[in-house]
């Protein structure tokens, strides 16, 4: 089980339960305290940590462990199940024709993620295309085209056009033969009315099958309000956490997942087009607690 590679102090607290047949409140508190410490350090929202703690405590104390299960294994199982509940399952991504739109703030890693996802779909035997609608950031077109070349996927953009909606419309026509269209959008330093209005117009034009919110792993408490604004504007079906190769553990993104009632689709782990992983709960939980 994933919790076998937990932090030392958490393992210690669990090991104190070894040989016990009954679990008392003090034992559970010690375990919960260690989990809280790790999760808060990983930037997980305080309310989410508290609600997880309450669930673990009440289940460990109220539910009867199945016959033959030791106190340690029982608490371990509850902790694991509740952590899976917290981080969620991976966003469902059918390997079929679809259009995916990426949203997020400036610098979150959208353009890089568009190329990575295109590469990922190409490894699954689908033909992807990137549509670059970011007309605000100088260099977005060149960066995107270069990454599309590196990923060996189709690309559409128009460096001479300044209407992103028009680029989106023409991009959809130009990439008709692609199976998966990934639409990159402009970001800003902060979410303002102009960005919201623009992304709403692009989304109306594109009518994507799913919108993914791209978040930097270092994004702390502001992930929640950002997610709420994007959710209200276009609806968010999944989250991508980037820059997990750095020191940040990405726990802040869980508030965005909670706020949008969505799940995590991908993790970005570097700057090249291959540095992408499908999210899976076990690895992410280990990362949060480790
Ligand atoms: P955008 O403004 O949202 O399109 O962001 P970009 O895709 O341009 O990314 C901003 C910066 O973050 C670039 O320098 C990328 O190379 C870098 N970046 C993006 N994703 C990752 C990642 O997973 N790991 C690391 N180390 N850098 C990343």
């Amino acid at each position: 089980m994933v919790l076998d590679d937990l932090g030392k102090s958490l393992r210690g607290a669990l090991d104190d339960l070894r040989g016990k047949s009954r679990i008392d409140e003090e034992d559970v508190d010690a375990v919960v305290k260690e989990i809280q410490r790790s999760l808060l350090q990983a930037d997980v929202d305080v309310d989410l940590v508290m609600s997880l703690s309450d669930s673990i405590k009440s289940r460990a104390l109220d539910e009867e462990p199945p016959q033959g299960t030791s106190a340690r294994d029982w608490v371990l199982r509850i902790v694991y199940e509740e952590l899976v509940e917290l981080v969620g399952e991976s966003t469902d991504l059918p390997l079929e024709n679809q259009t995916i739109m990426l949203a997020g703030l400036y610098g979150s890693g959208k353009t890089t993620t568009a190329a990575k996802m295109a590469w990922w779909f190409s490894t699954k035997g689908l033909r992807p295309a990137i549509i670059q609608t970011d007309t605000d950031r100088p260099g977005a077109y060149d960066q995107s085209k270069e990454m599309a070349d590196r990923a060996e996927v189709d690309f559409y953009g128009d460096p001479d056009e300044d209407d992103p909606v028009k680029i989106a419309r023409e991009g959809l026509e130009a990439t008709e033969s692609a199976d998966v269209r990934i639409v990159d959008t402009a970001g800003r330093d902060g979410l303002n009315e102009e960005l919201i209005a623009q992304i709403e117009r692009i989304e109306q034009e594109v009518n994507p099958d799913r919108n993914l919110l791209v978040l930097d792993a270092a994004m702390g408490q502001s992930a929640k309000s950002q997610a709420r604004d994007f959710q209200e504007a276009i609806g968010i079906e999944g989250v991508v956490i980037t820059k997990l190769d750095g020191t940040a553990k990405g726990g802040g993104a869980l508030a965005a997942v909670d706020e949008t009632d969505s799940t995590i689709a991908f993790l970005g782990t570097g700057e090249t087009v291959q540095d992408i992983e499908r999210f899976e709960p076990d690895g992410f939980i280990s990362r949060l607690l480790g």
Side-chain angles (χ1 to χ4, degrees):
M1 187 187 283
V2 52
L3 292 186
D4 289 340
D5 51 22
L6 323 153
K8 211 166 150 202
S9 1
L10 178 54
R11 200 164 348 115
L14 280 161
D15 285 346
D16 288 345
L17 293 171
R18 262 194 215 287
K20 292 201 178 188
S21 52
R22 286 210 61 83
I23 308 156
D24 62 35
E25 209 164 331
E26 215 177 304
D27 298 325
V28 180
D29 278 345
V31 171
V32 165
K33 219 160 101 189
E34 290 304 332
I35 293 171
Q36 287 177 342
R37 200 161 61 173
S38 305
L39 294 182
L40 291 172
Q41 240 167 36
D43 285 332
V44 182
D45 176 78
V46 137
D47 292 340
L48 291 179
V49 174
M50 288 310 152
S51 130
L52 172 100
S53 307
D54 290 346
S55 306
I56 294 174
K57 276 188 210 170
S58 62
R59 286 191 58 194
L61 297 173
D62 298 346
E63 289 178 21
E64 243 359 271
Q67 197 100 52
T69 305
S70 71
R72 180 186 184 274
D73 287 350
W74 176 233
V75 174
L76 188 58
R77 189 203 293 185
I78 292 171
V79 165
Y80 175 70
E81 285 173 3
E82 292 300 324
L83 283 166
V84 171
E85 181 76 22
L86 171 75
V87 303
E89 297 292 338
S90 194
T91 307
D92 193 29
L93 279 180
L95 295 176
E96 59 189 30
N97 285 25
Q98 60 195 293
T99 303
I100 301 173
M101 191 167 94
L102 300 184
L105 296 188
Y106 176 77
S108 57
K110 285 180 304 300
T111 300
T112 310
T113 298
K116 288 176 176 181
M117 282 177 52
W119 176 80
W120 183 85
F121 276 110
S122 75
T123 66
K124 304 290 171 196
L126 291 162
R127 180 171 172 188
I130 298 169
I131 301 173
Q132 176 54 258
T133 73
D134 185 350
T135 52
D136 293 326
R137 181 161 63 91
Y141 173 89
D142 289 337
Q143 179 197 352
S144 189
K145 187 167 187 327
E146 199 181 304
M147 290 202 85
D149 284 347
R150 248 180 274 150
E152 296 180 27
V153 298
D154 295 348
F155 173 80
Y156 182 86
D158 184 350
D160 301 321
E161 175 56 60
D162 57 11
D163 176 5
V165 178
K166 192 163 173 229
I167 299 178
R169 183 166 51 240
E170 290 176 355
L172 290 176
E173 279 167 21
T175 59
E176 236 165 18
S177 54
D179 301 321
V180 181
R181 270 97 62 96
I182 299 170
V183 182
D184 191 10
T185 61
R188 301 287 152 85
D189 287 338
L191 202 55
N192 57 26
E193 276 172 36
E194 202 194 329
L195 173 59
I196 289 288
Q198 186 192 77
I199 205 164
E200 280 176 352
R201 281 189 289 119
I202 300 174
E203 125 100 5
Q204 274 164 18
E205 182 65 45
V206 170
N207 191 21
D209 296 292
R210 48 186 62 79
N211 298 322
L212 302 184
L213 176 64
V214 180
L215 291 170
D216 185 323
M219 174 70 47
Q221 302 304 314
S222 67
K224 191 171 175 166
S225 60
Q226 214 189 101
R228 185 184 310 133
D229 291 345
F230 278 112
Q231 170 75 351
E232 277 171 13
I234 54 170
I236 295 296
E237 280 76 39
V239 169
V240 179
I241 312 177
T242 64
K243 308 185 195 180
L244 278 165
D245 48 315
T247 50
K249 295 190 169 162
L254 293 176
V257 168
D258 186 56
E259 190 65 39
T260 54
D261 204 11
S262 70
T263 47
I264 306 171
F266 288 106
L267 306 179
T269 56
E271 292 188 80
T272 76
V273 292
Q274 290 96 345
D275 292 325
I276 182 166
E277 293 171 15
R278 265 298 251 148
F279 170 82
E280 50 90 19
D282 283 12
F284 194 70
I285 290 170
S286 301
R287 208 187 296 245
L288 284 181
L289 295 177

